[in-house]
Amino acid sequence: MVRTLLVRGLLLGLLAGLIAGGFAFAYGEPRVDSAIALEEAHAAREAPGHHHGEEELVSRPGQKAGLFLATGLYGLAVGGVFALVYAGLRGRVGPRSEGGLALAAAGTAFVAVILVPFVKYPANPPAVGDPDTIGSRTLLYVVTILVGLAATAIAVATARRVTAGPWARWVSAVAAFLVPVVAAWTLLPTVNEVPDGFPATLLWQFRLASLGTQLVFWTAFGVLFGWVSDRAARRAAAVPATAALPV
């Protein structure tokens, strides 16, 4: 069964990754082009005669084509990990239906792994960020992901211990999730490397496109994985009934 779920996760993750790539291509790449144009204009003012394109290892058309490769590989990796986690959750936590569990797990993963880090450290377009601090910024981002995952585990454990009713269970779980997350948001250092004069509208359009790409991926993947899992469960339930029919 785990092997079936793993193959399902890989294939549907690839498909969801390509769907998310289409969204990123349509809504994110124009903002990247605008940010690169601003960077080149700034470089030209600082060093006349400098051409950004001479330093590019991969051309912009090549980068845009590679976008689908990147999102596809991302979908493969995430789909495989999700399938293994899903196999461990079945029958233990969450909704009993296959589709409901898939949607709940995908939604939880989006909040813990994507939304929690985004609130503290939103994505920045080219021309924003100091190359010398990329290591520390990456470390802080990974820390917020770990906080989101740990908060999710705490919330699930809390919900399982509460027996007062569904409302009390949900309130306790949400509170258990928010306490470590808000503490991390408050205590972790703030990173603000947006240069003066960078258009605020372009910055937030890029950030929303980045978040939207992840939302599209997790929505598509959760719906596809849940739909396929529900169909597989119905087929498996129908087999014994069919076998019991008189010949």
Side-chain angles (χ1 to χ4, degrees):
M1 185 61 184
V2 174
R3 180 180 178 182
T4 301
L5 289 174
L6 180 59
V7 173
R8 183 183 304 163
L10 291 171
L11 293 178
L12 297 179
L14 174 61
L15 178 57
L18 295 176
I19 293 172
F23 179 90
F25 184 85
Y27 293 96
E29 286 301 306
R31 278 74 192 180
V32 174
D33 288 336
S34 298
I36 290 175
L38 286 174
E39 184 182 21
E40 290 180 341
H42 176 75
R45 288 194 299 269
E46 294 293 326
H50 170 82
H51 295 288
H52 178 78
E54 294 176 357
E55 300 178 358
E56 287 185 346
L57 297 177
V58 182
S59 65
R60 280 298 293 149
Q63 292 173 13
K64 291 181 179 181
L67 170 67
F68 290 93
L69 175 62
T71 56
L73 292 176
Y74 172 82
L76 275 172
V78 171
V81 173
F82 181 91
L84 296 177
V85 174
Y86 179 87
L89 295 177
R90 293 173 73 239
R92 294 181 175 87
V93 297
R96 295 300 177 184
S97 70
E98 300 283 343
L101 177 60
L103 288 174
T108 301
F110 172 78
V111 172
V113 179
I114 304 301
L115 192 58
V116 169
F118 178 86
V119 171
K120 182 66 178 180
Y121 303 116
N124 287 328
V128 174
D130 183 357
D132 295 333
T133 63
I134 188 170
S136 60
R137 286 186 282 123
T138 301
L139 178 60
L140 289 172
Y141 193 85
V142 171
V143 168
T144 56
I145 292 177
L146 296 177
V147 169
L149 292 174
T152 301
I154 294 171
V156 171
T158 301
R160 298 186 69 179
R161 290 176 180 271
V162 175
T163 58
W167 278 106
R169 188 178 300 115
W170 275 104
V171 171
S172 300
V174 171
F177 178 83
L178 287 178
V179 167
V181 167
V182 173
W185 286 342
T186 304
L187 297 176
L188 288 174
T190 300
V191 176
N192 183 12
E193 298 181 348
V194 179
D196 294 336
F198 193 91
T201 300
L202 176 59
L203 177 65
W204 281 103
Q205 284 178 343
F206 176 87
R207 288 176 172 177
L208 291 177
S210 176
L211 183 63
T213 300
Q214 291 289 348
L215 180 60
V216 168
F217 171 80
W218 283 104
T219 301
F221 180 70
V223 170
L224 289 170
F225 196 95
W227 177 67
V228 173
S229 297
D230 266 343
R231 285 175 57 88
R234 286 196 297 268
R235 286 198 303 268
V239 169
T242 303
L245 293 176
V247 179

